[in-house]
Amino acid sequence: MPKHSETRALPYTPLQMFELVADVRSYDLFLPWVSAIRVREDSETLMVADMIVGFKGLRESFTSRVNKTRPERVHVDYIDGPLKHLHNDWRFRPDDNGGVLVDFEVEFTFKNRLFEALAGQMFDSALRKMIGAFETRACQLYGVGESGSSSSSAQSAA
């Protein structure tokens, strides 16, 4: 089962990063492989959304429940689709430099063993591309923050 956890120091506020991650409606504008989003339900603390993702002729749709705790956490749980399970957790903490520490964790298992094998081979590069897309989006929305450059530490297992 692919699993990854990482902490990044970014030059934004916890609220800015929370709002970016919680804005699931905009994912198709900047996340690779996301071709469409449909929000079924949305409130201050809960969202249920369908996401269509595609890669090299494969196209899948899945539904997730997004629990939002402003401005410190976004937690995603899988409801339906091609996975057995998906857990995705984002936590946002102020750092000592006026920026934010973003703690990111994801783990998932596909129902289909072929998809699982493909995901395992591409997991690290796909994850780097996705995390980079969030950082690029933050820069587009908020500019470069006052706390300077980003740093990261990562652990992953497939």
mmCIF file of all heavy atoms in Angstrom, residues 24 36-41 46-53 60-66 75-87 111:
data_model
loop_
_atom_site.group_PDB
_atom_site.id
_atom_site.type_symbol
_atom_site.label_atom_id
_atom_site.label_comp_id
_atom_site.label_asym_id
_atom_site.label_seq_id
_atom_site.Cartn_x
_atom_site.Cartn_y
_atom_site.Cartn_z
ATOM 1 N N VAL A 24 -11.392 22.607 -2.977
ATOM 2 C CA VAL A 24 -11.429 21.440 -3.852
ATOM 3 C C VAL A 24 -12.032 21.793 -5.212
ATOM 4 O O VAL A 24 -11.628 21.242 -6.240
ATOM 5 C CB VAL A 24 -12.204 20.285 -3.177
ATOM 6 C CG1 VAL A 24 -12.372 19.097 -4.099
ATOM 7 C CG2 VAL A 24 -11.510 19.878 -1.884
ATOM 8 N N ALA A 36 -11.995 16.943 -13.712
ATOM 9 C CA ALA A 36 -13.277 17.535 -13.325
ATOM 10 C C ALA A 36 -13.541 17.302 -11.840
ATOM 11 O O ALA A 36 -13.088 16.318 -11.261
ATOM 12 C CB ALA A 36 -14.412 16.932 -14.153
ATOM 13 N N ILE A 37 -14.299 18.225 -11.275
ATOM 14 C CA ILE A 37 -14.725 18.170 -9.872
ATOM 15 C C ILE A 37 -16.218 18.456 -9.811
ATOM 16 O O ILE A 37 -16.707 19.365 -10.489
ATOM 17 C CB ILE A 37 -14.000 19.245 -9.022
ATOM 18 C CG1 ILE A 37 -12.495 19.038 -9.013
ATOM 19 C CG2 ILE A 37 -14.569 19.311 -7.614
ATOM 20 C CD1 ILE A 37 -12.030 17.873 -8.184
ATOM 21 N N ARG A 38 -16.919 17.691 -9.001
ATOM 22 C CA ARG A 38 -18.323 17.997 -8.727
ATOM 23 C C ARG A 38 -18.505 17.958 -7.214
ATOM 24 O O ARG A 38 -18.266 16.925 -6.579
ATOM 25 C CB ARG A 38 -19.256 16.988 -9.370
ATOM 26 C CG ARG A 38 -20.745 17.345 -9.140
ATOM 27 C CD ARG A 38 -21.640 16.348 -9.782
ATOM 28 N NE ARG A 38 -21.579 15.114 -9.017
ATOM 29 C CZ ARG A 38 -22.635 14.342 -8.763
ATOM 30 N NH1 ARG A 38 -23.811 14.643 -9.241
ATOM 31 N NH2 ARG A 38 -22.497 13.236 -8.056
ATOM 32 N N VAL A 39 -18.910 19.092 -6.653
ATOM 33 C CA VAL A 39 -19.136 19.168 -5.214
ATOM 34 C C VAL A 39 -20.597 18.827 -4.958
ATOM 35 O O VAL A 39 -21.497 19.491 -5.462
ATOM 36 C CB VAL A 39 -18.762 20.573 -4.673
ATOM 37 C CG1 VAL A 39 -19.115 20.678 -3.195
ATOM 38 C CG2 VAL A 39 -17.278 20.838 -4.889
ATOM 39 N N ARG A 40 -20.821 17.793 -4.176
ATOM 40 C CA ARG A 40 -22.181 17.356 -3.834
ATOM 41 C C ARG A 40 -22.731 18.101 -2.633
ATOM 42 O O ARG A 40 -23.927 18.349 -2.546
ATOM 43 C CB ARG A 40 -22.189 15.868 -3.495
ATOM 44 C CG ARG A 40 -21.840 14.951 -4.615
ATOM 45 C CD ARG A 40 -21.973 13.530 -4.126
ATOM 46 N NE ARG A 40 -21.527 12.573 -5.107
ATOM 47 C CZ ARG A 40 -21.766 11.274 -5.005
ATOM 48 N NH1 ARG A 40 -22.418 10.804 -3.968
ATOM 49 N NH2 ARG A 40 -21.330 10.460 -5.922
ATOM 50 N N GLU A 41 -21.841 18.383 -1.695
ATOM 51 C CA GLU A 41 -22.242 18.986 -0.420
ATOM 52 C C GLU A 41 -21.078 19.832 0.070
ATOM 53 O O GLU A 41 -19.923 19.440 -0.066
ATOM 54 C CB GLU A 41 -22.526 17.857 0.573
ATOM 55 C CG GLU A 41 -22.914 18.262 1.949
ATOM 56 C CD GLU A 41 -23.108 17.040 2.857
ATOM 57 O OE1 GLU A 41 -23.394 15.934 2.355
ATOM 58 O OE2 GLU A 41 -22.957 17.225 4.074
ATOM 59 N N LEU A 46 -17.510 20.533 6.324
ATOM 60 C CA LEU A 46 -17.606 19.268 5.594
ATOM 61 C C LEU A 46 -17.898 19.502 4.124
ATOM 62 O O LEU A 46 -18.728 20.347 3.778
ATOM 63 C CB LEU A 46 -18.717 18.394 6.179
ATOM 64 C CG LEU A 46 -18.984 17.070 5.465
ATOM 65 C CD1 LEU A 46 -17.829 16.107 5.673
ATOM 66 C CD2 LEU A 46 -20.284 16.458 5.938
ATOM 67 N N MET A 47 -17.228 18.723 3.282
ATOM 68 C CA MET A 47 -17.502 18.732 1.854
ATOM 69 C C MET A 47 -17.519 17.285 1.380
ATOM 70 O O MET A 47 -16.732 16.464 1.848
ATOM 71 C CB MET A 47 -16.411 19.498 1.098
ATOM 72 C CG MET A 47 -16.545 19.438 -0.415
ATOM 73 S SD MET A 47 -15.162 20.217 -1.289
ATOM 74 C CE MET A 47 -15.481 21.933 -0.957
ATOM 75 N N VAL A 48 -18.427 16.982 0.449
ATOM 76 C CA VAL A 48 -18.423 15.699 -0.249
ATOM 77 C C VAL A 48 -18.283 16.041 -1.727
ATOM 78 O O VAL A 48 -19.048 16.853 -2.261
ATOM 79 C CB VAL A 48 -19.705 14.892 0.017
ATOM 80 C CG1 VAL A 48 -19.719 13.608 -0.814
ATOM 81 C CG2 VAL A 48 -19.841 14.570 1.501
ATOM 82 N N ALA A 49 -17.267 15.469 -2.367
ATOM 83 C CA ALA A 49 -16.975 15.831 -3.754
ATOM 84 C C ALA A 49 -16.595 14.607 -4.569
ATOM 85 O O ALA A 49 -16.003 13.660 -4.055
ATOM 86 C CB ALA A 49 -15.840 16.855 -3.795
ATOM 87 N N ASP A 50 -16.935 14.657 -5.864
ATOM 88 C CA ASP A 50 -16.513 13.671 -6.846
ATOM 89 C C ASP A 50 -15.366 14.283 -7.639
ATOM 90 O O ASP A 50 -15.412 15.460 -8.009
ATOM 91 C CB ASP A 50 -17.642 13.349 -7.825
ATOM 92 C CG ASP A 50 -18.877 12.807 -7.146
ATOM 93 O OD1 ASP A 50 -18.728 12.029 -6.187
ATOM 94 O OD2 ASP A 50 -19.992 13.165 -7.572
ATOM 95 N N MET A 51 -14.351 13.481 -7.908
ATOM 96 C CA MET A 51 -13.201 13.935 -8.682
ATOM 97 C C MET A 51 -12.960 12.937 -9.804
ATOM 98 O O MET A 51 -12.966 11.729 -9.576
ATOM 99 C CB MET A 51 -11.961 14.017 -7.786
ATOM 100 C CG MET A 51 -10.718 14.519 -8.492
ATOM 101 S SD MET A 51 -9.256 14.565 -7.423
ATOM 102 C CE MET A 51 -9.750 15.695 -6.163
ATOM 103 N N ILE A 52 -12.772 13.443 -11.016
ATOM 104 C CA ILE A 52 -12.413 12.592 -12.145
ATOM 105 C C ILE A 52 -10.941 12.836 -12.438
ATOM 106 O O ILE A 52 -10.510 13.981 -12.615
ATOM 107 C CB ILE A 52 -13.265 12.900 -13.389
ATOM 108 C CG1 ILE A 52 -14.736 12.600 -13.094
ATOM 109 C CG2 ILE A 52 -12.781 12.070 -14.582
ATOM 110 C CD1 ILE A 52 -15.682 13.006 -14.218
ATOM 111 N N VAL A 53 -10.178 11.744 -12.434
ATOM 112 C CA VAL A 53 -8.749 11.819 -12.720
ATOM 113 C C VAL A 53 -8.458 10.939 -13.933
ATOM 114 O O VAL A 53 -9.115 9.927 -14.149
ATOM 115 C CB VAL A 53 -7.884 11.377 -11.510
ATOM 116 C CG1 VAL A 53 -8.058 12.339 -10.350
ATOM 117 C CG2 VAL A 53 -8.213 9.971 -11.077
ATOM 118 N N GLU A 60 -10.757 7.579 -14.112
ATOM 119 C CA GLU A 60 -11.506 7.061 -12.975
ATOM 120 C C GLU A 60 -12.179 8.207 -12.229
ATOM 121 O O GLU A 60 -11.677 9.330 -12.224
ATOM 122 C CB GLU A 60 -10.591 6.309 -12.004
ATOM 123 C CG GLU A 60 -10.057 5.005 -12.523
ATOM 124 C CD GLU A 60 -11.100 3.902 -12.634
ATOM 125 O OE1 GLU A 60 -12.176 4.021 -12.030
ATOM 126 O OE2 GLU A 60 -10.820 2.916 -13.318
ATOM 127 N N SER A 61 -13.261 7.883 -11.591
ATOM 128 C CA SER A 61 -13.969 8.849 -10.761
ATOM 129 C C SER A 61 -14.026 8.301 -9.339
ATOM 130 O O SER A 61 -14.200 7.095 -9.145
ATOM 131 C CB SER A 61 -15.392 9.033 -11.302
ATOM 132 O OG SER A 61 -16.128 9.872 -10.443
ATOM 133 N N PHE A 62 -13.840 9.173 -8.371
ATOM 134 C CA PHE A 62 -14.011 8.736 -6.990
ATOM 135 C C PHE A 62 -14.621 9.851 -6.163
ATOM 136 O O PHE A 62 -14.588 11.018 -6.527
ATOM 137 C CB PHE A 62 -12.716 8.196 -6.388
ATOM 138 C CG PHE A 62 -11.601 9.188 -6.229
ATOM 139 C CD1 PHE A 62 -11.440 9.897 -5.052
ATOM 140 C CD2 PHE A 62 -10.704 9.393 -7.247
ATOM 141 C CE1 PHE A 62 -10.402 10.791 -4.896
ATOM 142 C CE2 PHE A 62 -9.658 10.277 -7.104
ATOM 143 C CZ PHE A 62 -9.510 10.990 -5.927
ATOM 144 N N THR A 63 -15.215 9.449 -5.059
ATOM 145 C CA THR A 63 -15.910 10.363 -4.164
ATOM 146 C C THR A 63 -15.201 10.367 -2.827
ATOM 147 O O THR A 63 -14.825 9.316 -2.308
ATOM 148 C CB THR A 63 -17.377 9.919 -3.975
ATOM 149 O OG1 THR A 63 -17.989 9.825 -5.264
ATOM 150 C CG2 THR A 63 -18.152 10.891 -3.108
ATOM 151 N N SER A 64 -15.034 11.566 -2.269
ATOM 152 C CA SER A 64 -14.364 11.721 -0.982
ATOM 153 C C SER A 64 -15.151 12.640 -0.065
ATOM 154 O O SER A 64 -15.889 13.510 -0.517
ATOM 155 C CB SER A 64 -12.970 12.320 -1.176
ATOM 156 O OG SER A 64 -12.160 11.455 -1.897
ATOM 157 N N ARG A 65 -14.930 12.423 1.225
ATOM 158 C CA ARG A 65 -15.460 13.292 2.276
ATOM 159 C C ARG A 65 -14.287 14.126 2.787
ATOM 160 O O ARG A 65 -13.247 13.587 3.172
ATOM 161 C CB ARG A 65 -16.045 12.475 3.420
ATOM 162 C CG ARG A 65 -16.567 13.308 4.578
ATOM 163 C CD ARG A 65 -17.122 12.454 5.722
ATOM 164 N NE ARG A 65 -18.154 11.540 5.265
ATOM 165 C CZ ARG A 65 -17.994 10.223 5.087
ATOM 166 N NH1 ARG A 65 -16.843 9.639 5.339
ATOM 167 N NH2 ARG A 65 -18.985 9.474 4.673
ATOM 168 N N VAL A 66 -14.450 15.437 2.775
ATOM 169 C CA VAL A 66 -13.400 16.356 3.181
ATOM 170 C C VAL A 66 -13.845 17.048 4.468
ATOM 171 O O VAL A 66 -14.813 17.810 4.460
ATOM 172 C CB VAL A 66 -13.125 17.410 2.079
ATOM 173 C CG1 VAL A 66 -12.017 18.355 2.504
ATOM 174 C CG2 VAL A 66 -12.816 16.728 0.744
ATOM 175 N N HIS A 75 -8.823 17.013 6.288
ATOM 176 C CA HIS A 75 -8.697 15.550 6.309
ATOM 177 C C HIS A 75 -9.653 14.961 5.277
ATOM 178 O O HIS A 75 -10.840 15.284 5.267
ATOM 179 C CB HIS A 75 -9.012 14.994 7.697
ATOM 180 C CG HIS A 75 -8.849 13.512 7.761
ATOM 181 N ND1 HIS A 75 -7.622 12.905 7.911
ATOM 182 C CD2 HIS A 75 -9.750 12.509 7.644
ATOM 183 C CE1 HIS A 75 -7.774 11.599 7.898
ATOM 184 N NE2 HIS A 75 -9.059 11.331 7.739
ATOM 185 N N VAL A 76 -9.130 14.082 4.422
ATOM 186 C CA VAL A 76 -9.907 13.488 3.334
ATOM 187 C C VAL A 76 -10.046 11.994 3.576
ATOM 188 O O VAL A 76 -9.046 11.298 3.805
ATOM 189 C CB VAL A 76 -9.215 13.735 1.974
ATOM 190 C CG1 VAL A 76 -10.027 13.115 0.838
ATOM 191 C CG2 VAL A 76 -8.980 15.220 1.747
ATOM 192 N N ASP A 77 -11.283 11.516 3.499
ATOM 193 C CA ASP A 77 -11.565 10.083 3.567
ATOM 194 C C ASP A 77 -12.311 9.669 2.314
ATOM 195 O O ASP A 77 -13.187 10.378 1.817
ATOM 196 C CB ASP A 77 -12.418 9.733 4.796
ATOM 197 C CG ASP A 77 -11.605 9.674 6.067
ATOM 198 O OD1 ASP A 77 -10.539 9.030 6.059
ATOM 199 O OD2 ASP A 77 -12.028 10.281 7.064
ATOM 200 N N TYR A 78 -11.983 8.519 1.840
ATOM 201 C CA TYR A 78 -12.547 7.941 0.633
ATOM 202 C C TYR A 78 -13.949 7.403 0.903
ATOM 203 O O TYR A 78 -14.202 6.785 1.929
ATOM 204 C CB TYR A 78 -11.605 6.810 0.228
ATOM 205 C CG TYR A 78 -12.009 6.031 -0.963
ATOM 206 C CD1 TYR A 78 -11.902 6.572 -2.225
ATOM 207 C CD2 TYR A 78 -12.464 4.733 -0.828
ATOM 208 C CE1 TYR A 78 -12.238 5.833 -3.331
ATOM 209 C CE2 TYR A 78 -12.801 3.980 -1.931
ATOM 210 C CZ TYR A 78 -12.688 4.543 -3.190
ATOM 211 O OH TYR A 78 -13.021 3.792 -4.274
ATOM 212 N N ILE A 79 -14.852 7.629 -0.071
ATOM 213 C CA ILE A 79 -16.207 7.090 0.030
ATOM 214 C C ILE A 79 -16.439 6.004 -1.015
ATOM 215 O O ILE A 79 -16.884 4.910 -0.703
ATOM 216 C CB ILE A 79 -17.271 8.205 -0.117
ATOM 217 C CG1 ILE A 79 -17.170 9.193 1.038
ATOM 218 C CG2 ILE A 79 -18.672 7.598 -0.180
ATOM 219 C CD1 ILE A 79 -18.090 10.395 0.902
ATOM 220 N N ASP A 80 -16.134 6.311 -2.306
ATOM 221 C CA ASP A 80 -16.466 5.372 -3.373
ATOM 222 C C ASP A 80 -15.561 5.583 -4.578
ATOM 223 O O ASP A 80 -15.120 6.701 -4.836
ATOM 224 C CB ASP A 80 -17.924 5.570 -3.793
ATOM 225 C CG ASP A 80 -18.406 4.498 -4.744
ATOM 226 O OD1 ASP A 80 -17.986 3.332 -4.603
ATOM 227 O OD2 ASP A 80 -19.184 4.821 -5.653
ATOM 228 N N GLY A 81 -15.294 4.506 -5.316
ATOM 229 C CA GLY A 81 -14.498 4.580 -6.536
ATOM 230 C C GLY A 81 -13.581 3.383 -6.662
ATOM 231 O O GLY A 81 -13.857 2.317 -6.106
ATOM 232 N N PRO A 82 -12.445 3.547 -7.375
ATOM 233 C CA PRO A 82 -11.567 2.415 -7.688
ATOM 234 C C PRO A 82 -10.611 2.017 -6.561
ATOM 235 O O PRO A 82 -9.815 1.099 -6.732
ATOM 236 C CB PRO A 82 -10.760 2.935 -8.885
ATOM 237 C CG PRO A 82 -10.681 4.405 -8.637
ATOM 238 C CD PRO A 82 -12.013 4.778 -8.023
ATOM 239 N N LEU A 83 -10.685 2.677 -5.438
ATOM 240 C CA LEU A 83 -9.778 2.383 -4.331
ATOM 241 C C LEU A 83 -10.451 1.503 -3.287
ATOM 242 O O LEU A 83 -11.674 1.484 -3.170
ATOM 243 C CB LEU A 83 -9.329 3.680 -3.657
ATOM 244 C CG LEU A 83 -8.632 4.702 -4.552
ATOM 245 C CD1 LEU A 83 -8.447 6.012 -3.803
ATOM 246 C CD2 LEU A 83 -7.301 4.179 -5.026
ATOM 247 N N LYS A 84 -9.631 0.787 -2.517
ATOM 248 C CA LYS A 84 -10.139 0.132 -1.315
ATOM 249 C C LYS A 84 -10.263 1.163 -0.208
ATOM 250 O O LYS A 84 -11.226 1.177 0.539
ATOM 251 C CB LYS A 84 -9.193 -0.981 -0.847
ATOM 252 C CG LYS A 84 -9.278 -2.242 -1.617
ATOM 253 C CD LYS A 84 -8.383 -3.295 -0.980
ATOM 254 C CE LYS A 84 -8.341 -4.560 -1.799
ATOM 255 N NZ LYS A 84 -7.408 -5.530 -1.240
ATOM 256 N N HIS A 85 -9.224 2.002 -0.115
ATOM 257 C CA HIS A 85 -9.284 3.088 0.865
ATOM 258 C C HIS A 85 -8.312 4.197 0.484
ATOM 259 O O HIS A 85 -7.372 3.982 -0.293
ATOM 260 C CB HIS A 85 -9.013 2.585 2.294
ATOM 261 C CG HIS A 85 -7.577 2.475 2.634
ATOM 262 N ND1 HIS A 85 -6.819 1.379 2.334
ATOM 263 C CD2 HIS A 85 -6.732 3.355 3.232
ATOM 264 C CE1 HIS A 85 -5.582 1.575 2.749
ATOM 265 N NE2 HIS A 85 -5.492 2.760 3.284
ATOM 266 N N LEU A 86 -8.580 5.373 1.013
ATOM 267 C CA LEU A 86 -7.718 6.535 0.854
ATOM 268 C C LEU A 86 -7.855 7.380 2.107
ATOM 269 O O LEU A 86 -8.972 7.653 2.552
ATOM 270 C CB LEU A 86 -8.137 7.367 -0.359
ATOM 271 C CG LEU A 86 -7.577 8.795 -0.433
ATOM 272 C CD1 LEU A 86 -6.099 8.776 -0.796
ATOM 273 C CD2 LEU A 86 -8.363 9.626 -1.440
ATOM 274 N N HIS A 87 -6.735 7.733 2.688
ATOM 275 C CA HIS A 87 -6.699 8.694 3.787
ATOM 276 C C HIS A 87 -5.669 9.741 3.401
ATOM 277 O O HIS A 87 -4.546 9.405 3.019
ATOM 278 C CB HIS A 87 -6.311 8.035 5.112
ATOM 279 C CG HIS A 87 -7.253 6.975 5.552
ATOM 280 N ND1 HIS A 87 -8.520 7.242 6.009
ATOM 281 C CD2 HIS A 87 -7.128 5.636 5.574
ATOM 282 C CE1 HIS A 87 -9.122 6.102 6.301
ATOM 283 N NE2 HIS A 87 -8.298 5.113 6.034
ATOM 284 N N LYS A 111 -8.393 -1.218 -5.467
ATOM 285 C CA LYS A 111 -9.084 -2.502 -5.533
ATOM 286 C C LYS A 111 -8.421 -3.391 -6.581
ATOM 287 O O LYS A 111 -8.271 -4.587 -6.393
ATOM 288 C CB LYS A 111 -10.556 -2.299 -5.920
ATOM 289 C CG LYS A 111 -11.389 -1.602 -4.876
ATOM 290 C CD LYS A 111 -12.807 -1.364 -5.390
ATOM 291 C CE LYS A 111 -13.613 -0.527 -4.427
ATOM 292 N NZ LYS A 111 -14.912 -0.137 -4.990
#
